[in-house]
Amino acid sequence: MSYSEKVMEHFSNPRNMGEIENPSGVGTVGNAQCGDIMRVYLDINDGIVNDVKFKTFGCAAAVATSSMATELVKGKTIEEALKVTNAAVCDALDGLPQVKVHCSLLAEEAIHAALWDYAQKEGIAIEGLEPPKSDIHEEEEEEEAY
Ligand code: FES
């Protein structure tokens, strides 16, 4: 198994790692195959993703794909951000080893979960956006409250 130069570069120097205070939306998802976790924060203004950050307990491929995915959604409209699929992210990274493709799903799912959170808070519907399958954010917050 070998990683492309782009994957190595994004893993060594990840873009948009961190968190956003008072984000417009937050999404946290887990990967059923490995148990790794990804959280994405979005700052949205006038339908544009002004800023995006991620935090992960994931592997090298998860870090690299999140770095690339966040670069691809930054500055985009919500509709454009929705089209940033894991396949698009893998392409932008010159591919991932087959066994690591599932890792790239984390970024896509966390972005979608954060958009869902934003839509819920704003009371709006985003066309084509499905409710997150595994948004574990609320559960975690409850735990933190104890
Ligand atoms: Fe878990 Fe890659 S092995 S995200």
Side-chain angles (χ1 to χ4, degrees), residues 48-97:
I48 305 285
V49 179
N50 278 338
D51 202 7
V52 48
K53 296 262 194 255
F54 77 93
K55 273 187 174 172
T56 188
F57 297 101
C59 66
V63 171
T65 50
S66 310
S67 170
M68 180 56 90
T70 51
E71 284 290 273
L72 291 174
V73 300
K74 205 182 216 176
K76 300 283 167 62
T77 65
I78 290 171
E79 288 71 26
E80 288 165 337
L82 259 184
K83 290 188 194 128
V84 175
T85 60
N86 71 310
V89 170
C90 286
D91 274 358
L93 286 168
D94 295 335
L96 272 179

Side-chain angles (χ1 to χ4, degrees), residues 31 34 36 58-59 61-62 100 102-103 106:
N31 187 316
C34 62
D36 289 339
C59 66
K100 302 304 273 180
H102 73 96
C103 312
L106 271 181

